[in-house]
Each structure stands twice: as C-alpha cells, then as structure tokens.
Amino acid sequence: MESSGGLGGYRLGRREFLAAGALAGAGLLLGGCRRTEEGGQQGDGGGGVGNFPETPEYNFVFVNHVTTNPFFTPTQYGIEDASALLGTRYQWTGSETSVVREMVDAMNTAISGNADGIAVSIVDPEAFNDPIQRALDQGIPVVAYNANGRGSGTNPALAYIGQDLFLSGVEMGKRIVELVKEGPVALFIATKGQLNIQPRIDGAIQAIEDSGAPIEYDEIETGAELPEELNRIDAYYQGHKDVRGMFAVDAGSTQGVAQVMQKYGLHEQGVRAGGYDLLPKTLQLLREGHIDFTIDQQPYLQGFYPVLQLYLYKISGGLTGPAETNTGLKFVTQEDAGQYLETESRYEGDSERPRLLEAPAS
C-alpha cells in the first residue's frame, strides 16, 4: 500500500484551471476565420485567415510520450483541424514508449530547427525544464499539454492545456468510495511516477483516505503495452480474489480491467470497476455492464487548443495566447456509452471524416 504523499505531495487544493476564458477565446477565433461579407476569407498556409494578418506558415512541434498510442488519435485530429483553420503546419514527435531522453532529444531538435512553437507533454518533473527555458530564451513559445509535471508553476511552460489530473483523481476516488464502501481495492497504473497519470492515483488515494471509509488499496504497475497490462491485471486478480473494486488511471489499464471483469463475470459478483478514457473496447464493455464508469478528458481539445494558443502568441508579439485550460472531466456510464460507440466522430478519434453532428436532446 502506498500513501498519497509522493511526487511533490499532491494534495487537494491545487488551483483549478478556468476553461471558460479559453473556450470563449476559441469561439471568437473560429468566428473570425469564417468568410465575411466584407471580403475576409479563409486563407491557404500562412495566408492571413479571417481578420488576422498575413503570416509565415508557422511550424508547431508536438512532443509526445507515446506517439503511437490510440488515445492520442483525436489529439492529432485536433492539431490537424486547427492547423488547417489557421494555415499552419505541425510535427508529431517524441517517444513511442515514454522514454524521456527521446522526448528531450526531440525538443532539442525542434529548438535547433527554429520551430515557431512547441507543445510538450511534461511527464517528468525536471527533465524538460532546461530545454523549455532554452526555447523561451530563443523566442520559441512552449506550452504543456496532457501532462504538466508537478503542476503549474513548477516548470517554465507558458500554460497547460489538459485535464486537471489530480482533481480528476479526487473525483474518481469519491466515486470509488460510493461504489465499494469497504474492502480491498486495486488501483492500476501503467507507469508509476509518470506525471500524466500519477497525479490521478494520488488524488484517488487522498479521496479514499479523507472519506474515512474502511477501504484498503493496492497500487499496481501494469506496463505501457496493452497485452502486458491485461496480463498483469489478470494475474493480480488470480492472487487477490477477495478484491471488491478494480480501478485504473490510464486508457490501457482501464481496458484491461474491463476485460478481466468480463472474463470472470466479476460485476455480477459485486466487484466494482472503472477508469479513464474512451478506447472502443472499454466503451463496449461499459455498455454491457462489466464496469461502472470511464472518464472522458477530451483529447481532441488537447491538440486543438495548443495550436490556437501558440498561433495567438505569435501574431500578438507574445501579448496574448497562452492560458491555463482544463479540458474537463466527464463520467461516462452505461447509460451514455452507446452514444460514443454509435457515433463515429473525428472528435473522438474513431473516424477520419469530418461530420456535422447533432447534440442529443437534454
């Protein structure tokens, strides 16, 4: 069993990110890029879209920790769509397996290549600080997305765009207490200490401890690849058949939890389960009632908004643009899982084709 005091002592009370201003700004930007009667119209690459000035074809580099992970498919669509809107281009680079050295090398390459802006997933508390500062010193704006080290103010990035990871973990911990009430619980994490997921488990542990509920928890590392994650979760259950809840803080482990729950019919036996993200298999098993929830953090926005912010920074001479932006937390349950499964959407990453979708009636 591990306490919640590690990795910078994440505790409830971190400043919540305010998304309203960023959302409003994005709406104004999108409106400004539409064709108008006065003659303003969308431009080609670097051609002065809407009411914005003519610009070079800015190149924004995204440094990612798991470049081939399907979770980031909608993120890449968000980058593509914002780039097409503004006439910019982008590079998607980093590491396939969360190797920090590879990510730092990618950042250094972007800096030496005079990138116009960099967005980086800060999955290590210190390794990115020097290259971020070096980029800023050379006039290259840098924002964090998806992961933000130990939190805002602990690295030089101009802003963070992504879920408030610790707060989302607190909310998951509260849901665990509601569902399980007492007994042993397993908390699965792909890579311990990785700062795009560790704050979630820290937050969940804090919420469990603060509740005073008689719940004992184990924190189990599952690995970075889906087959490995599934095998480790299955093996854990085989050795802990008294477990009353199994929960995960990353996409792959959540799918693995759902598959193990299905394999052994655990939900029918009173075991409760849930986790994060919208992998199709997770949603399918959620709809079938094998787990209780998964959490949506809107990865499309984690690609779309950084492009907007870097662009605004460039055209405003650094006077506007970067803004702390919480992309949200939504509990998806059995009742609404079908909407995600039945609607092919570029915004959720399961369709390349742009489509106009109607929101369901509330």
Tab-separated table of all heavy atoms in Angstrom, residues 111-136:
chain	number	residue	atom	x	y	z
A	111	ILE	N	14.116	22.896	-31.172
A	111	ILE	CA	14.734	24.183	-30.841
A	111	ILE	C	15.811	24.539	-31.859
A	111	ILE	O	15.852	25.663	-32.381
A	111	ILE	CB	15.317	24.149	-29.420
A	111	ILE	CG1	14.193	23.985	-28.387
A	111	ILE	CG2	16.118	25.407	-29.122
A	111	ILE	CD1	14.679	23.617	-27.000
A	112	SER	N	16.686	23.582	-32.156
A	112	SER	CA	17.760	23.857	-33.114
A	112	SER	C	17.215	24.091	-34.515
A	112	SER	O	17.841	24.778	-35.330
A	112	SER	CB	18.766	22.702	-33.130
A	112	SER	OG	18.153	21.499	-33.560
A	113	GLY	N	16.030	23.541	-34.799
A	113	GLY	CA	15.392	23.753	-36.100
A	113	GLY	C	14.529	24.996	-36.155
A	113	GLY	O	13.820	25.219	-37.144
A	114	ASN	N	14.574	25.809	-35.091
A	114	ASN	CA	13.839	27.075	-35.033
A	114	ASN	C	12.328	26.885	-35.222
A	114	ASN	O	11.686	27.591	-36.009
A	114	ASN	CB	14.380	28.066	-36.076
A	114	ASN	CG	15.798	28.487	-35.772
A	114	ASN	OD1	16.132	28.813	-34.631
A	114	ASN	ND2	16.653	28.470	-36.794
A	115	ALA	N	11.773	25.920	-34.504
A	115	ALA	CA	10.318	25.755	-34.510
A	115	ALA	C	9.660	27.070	-34.091
A	115	ALA	O	10.232	27.853	-33.336
A	115	ALA	CB	9.914	24.635	-33.556
A	116	ASP	N	8.455	27.293	-34.573
A	116	ASP	CA	7.736	28.514	-34.217
A	116	ASP	C	7.005	28.390	-32.887
A	116	ASP	O	6.583	29.398	-32.301
A	116	ASP	CB	6.750	28.876	-35.326
A	116	ASP	CG	7.460	29.240	-36.612
A	116	ASP	OD1	8.201	30.247	-36.608
A	116	ASP	OD2	7.304	28.511	-37.614
A	117	GLY	N	6.855	27.184	-32.409
A	117	GLY	CA	6.231	26.946	-31.119
A	117	GLY	C	6.313	25.468	-30.794
A	117	GLY	O	6.425	24.630	-31.704
A	118	ILE	N	6.292	25.149	-29.518
A	118	ILE	CA	6.413	23.756	-29.085
A	118	ILE	C	5.326	23.473	-28.050
A	118	ILE	O	5.080	24.277	-27.143
A	118	ILE	CB	7.795	23.471	-28.463
A	118	ILE	CG1	8.916	23.693	-29.495
A	118	ILE	CG2	7.870	22.054	-27.900
A	118	ILE	CD1	10.316	23.632	-28.903
A	119	ALA	N	4.684	22.317	-28.195
A	119	ALA	CA	3.776	21.793	-27.174
A	119	ALA	C	4.358	20.470	-26.702
A	119	ALA	O	4.703	19.615	-27.518
A	119	ALA	CB	2.374	21.596	-27.746
A	120	VAL	N	4.495	20.296	-25.393
A	120	VAL	CA	5.156	19.110	-24.866
A	120	VAL	C	4.349	18.527	-23.721
A	120	VAL	O	3.801	19.262	-22.893
A	120	VAL	CB	6.605	19.438	-24.396
A	120	VAL	CG1	6.623	20.556	-23.369
A	120	VAL	CG2	7.299	18.191	-23.874
A	121	SER	N	4.273	17.227	-23.696
A	121	SER	CA	3.648	16.521	-22.583
A	121	SER	C	4.717	16.310	-21.511
A	121	SER	O	5.645	15.510	-21.691
A	121	SER	CB	3.088	15.175	-23.066
A	121	SER	OG	2.382	14.520	-22.052
A	122	ILE	N	4.601	17.031	-20.404
A	122	ILE	CA	5.660	17.042	-19.391
A	122	ILE	C	5.432	15.891	-18.415
A	122	ILE	O	4.743	16.039	-17.405
A	122	ILE	CB	5.711	18.403	-18.668
A	122	ILE	CG1	5.907	19.528	-19.686
A	122	ILE	CG2	6.843	18.414	-17.636
A	122	ILE	CD1	5.923	20.920	-19.072
A	123	VAL	N	6.016	14.741	-18.739
A	123	VAL	CA	5.793	13.531	-17.944
A	123	VAL	C	6.903	13.288	-16.919
A	123	VAL	O	6.870	12.292	-16.201
A	123	VAL	CB	5.649	12.296	-18.866
A	123	VAL	CG1	4.410	12.420	-19.739
A	123	VAL	CG2	6.901	12.099	-19.730
A	124	ASP	N	7.864	14.190	-16.857
A	124	ASP	CA	8.952	14.087	-15.882
A	124	ASP	C	9.031	15.423	-15.132
A	124	ASP	O	8.882	16.485	-15.741
A	124	ASP	CB	10.281	13.799	-16.588
A	124	ASP	CG	11.429	13.602	-15.619
A	124	ASP	OD1	12.033	14.620	-15.200
A	124	ASP	OD2	11.718	12.439	-15.277
A	125	PRO	N	9.285	15.401	-13.824
A	125	PRO	CA	9.233	16.649	-13.046
A	125	PRO	C	10.360	17.622	-13.330
A	125	PRO	O	10.227	18.815	-13.020
A	125	PRO	CB	9.279	16.169	-11.594
A	125	PRO	CG	9.954	14.846	-11.642
A	125	PRO	CD	9.518	14.235	-12.945
A	126	GLU	N	11.478	17.177	-13.915
A	126	GLU	CA	12.625	18.074	-14.070
A	126	GLU	C	13.262	18.064	-15.459
A	126	GLU	O	13.846	19.060	-15.875
A	126	GLU	CB	13.701	17.714	-13.036
A	126	GLU	CG	13.242	17.906	-11.591
A	126	GLU	CD	14.313	17.507	-10.591
A	126	GLU	OE1	15.374	17.031	-11.027
A	126	GLU	OE2	14.074	17.666	-9.383
A	127	ALA	N	13.161	16.945	-16.177
A	127	ALA	CA	13.945	16.771	-17.397
A	127	ALA	C	13.651	17.800	-18.478
A	127	ALA	O	14.514	18.106	-19.309
A	127	ALA	CB	13.722	15.359	-17.954
A	128	PHE	N	12.448	18.353	-18.472
A	128	PHE	CA	12.062	19.270	-19.547
A	128	PHE	C	12.312	20.737	-19.201
A	128	PHE	O	12.194	21.609	-20.075
A	128	PHE	CB	10.580	19.066	-19.892
A	128	PHE	CG	10.281	17.699	-20.422
A	128	PHE	CD1	9.803	16.700	-19.579
A	128	PHE	CD2	10.490	17.382	-21.753
A	128	PHE	CE1	9.534	15.434	-20.054
A	128	PHE	CE2	10.240	16.116	-22.241
A	128	PHE	CZ	9.755	15.135	-21.389
A	129	ASN	N	12.652	21.010	-17.962
A	129	ASN	CA	12.767	22.410	-17.553
A	129	ASN	C	13.834	23.175	-18.333
A	129	ASN	O	13.600	24.293	-18.808
A	129	ASN	CB	13.054	22.498	-16.057
A	129	ASN	CG	11.851	22.117	-15.214
A	129	ASN	OD1	10.756	21.943	-15.732
A	129	ASN	ND2	12.055	21.970	-13.917
A	130	ASP	N	15.017	22.589	-18.467
A	130	ASP	CA	16.099	23.282	-19.177
A	130	ASP	C	15.778	23.485	-20.658
A	130	ASP	O	15.942	24.614	-21.174
A	130	ASP	CB	17.414	22.536	-19.004
A	130	ASP	CG	18.005	22.707	-17.609
A	130	ASP	OD1	17.544	23.617	-16.882
A	130	ASP	OD2	18.910	21.936	-17.249
A	131	PRO	N	15.326	22.447	-21.387
A	131	PRO	CA	15.008	22.709	-22.797
A	131	PRO	C	13.848	23.685	-22.988
A	131	PRO	O	13.853	24.478	-23.938
A	131	PRO	CB	14.672	21.318	-23.366
A	131	PRO	CG	14.524	20.412	-22.207
A	131	PRO	CD	15.299	20.995	-21.085
A	132	ILE	N	12.852	23.658	-22.092
A	132	ILE	CA	11.767	24.639	-22.201
A	132	ILE	C	12.317	26.046	-22.032
A	132	ILE	O	12.013	26.958	-22.819
A	132	ILE	CB	10.665	24.365	-21.157
A	132	ILE	CG1	9.913	23.076	-21.479
A	132	ILE	CG2	9.677	25.539	-21.110
A	132	ILE	CD1	8.928	22.654	-20.401
A	133	GLN	N	13.167	26.243	-21.011
A	133	GLN	CA	13.722	27.569	-20.781
A	133	GLN	C	14.609	28.011	-21.939
A	133	GLN	O	14.591	29.180	-22.345
A	133	GLN	CB	14.509	27.596	-19.478
A	133	GLN	CG	14.933	28.995	-19.048
A	133	GLN	CD	13.741	29.907	-18.847
A	133	GLN	OE1	12.854	29.620	-18.044
A	133	GLN	NE2	13.707	31.030	-19.588
A	134	ARG	N	15.365	27.072	-22.491
A	134	ARG	CA	16.221	27.408	-23.624
A	134	ARG	C	15.379	27.842	-24.823
A	134	ARG	O	15.723	28.801	-25.531
A	134	ARG	CB	17.104	26.209	-23.992
A	134	ARG	CG	18.184	26.548	-25.021
A	134	ARG	CD	19.261	25.490	-25.083
A	134	ARG	NE	18.737	24.194	-25.521
A	134	ARG	CZ	18.538	23.160	-24.719
A	134	ARG	NH1	18.803	23.262	-23.420
A	134	ARG	NH2	18.070	22.017	-25.187
A	135	ALA	N	14.255	27.157	-25.052
A	135	ALA	CA	13.363	27.544	-26.142
A	135	ALA	C	12.804	28.943	-25.899
A	135	ALA	O	12.806	29.794	-26.808
A	135	ALA	CB	12.232	26.529	-26.274
A	136	LEU	N	12.345	29.197	-24.690
A	136	LEU	CA	11.797	30.524	-24.377
A	136	LEU	C	12.850	31.611	-24.560
A	136	LEU	O	12.548	32.699	-25.073
A	136	LEU	CB	11.253	30.539	-22.947
A	136	LEU	CG	10.061	29.622	-22.647
A	136	LEU	CD1	9.725	29.657	-21.164
A	136	LEU	CD2	8.848	30.017	-23.483
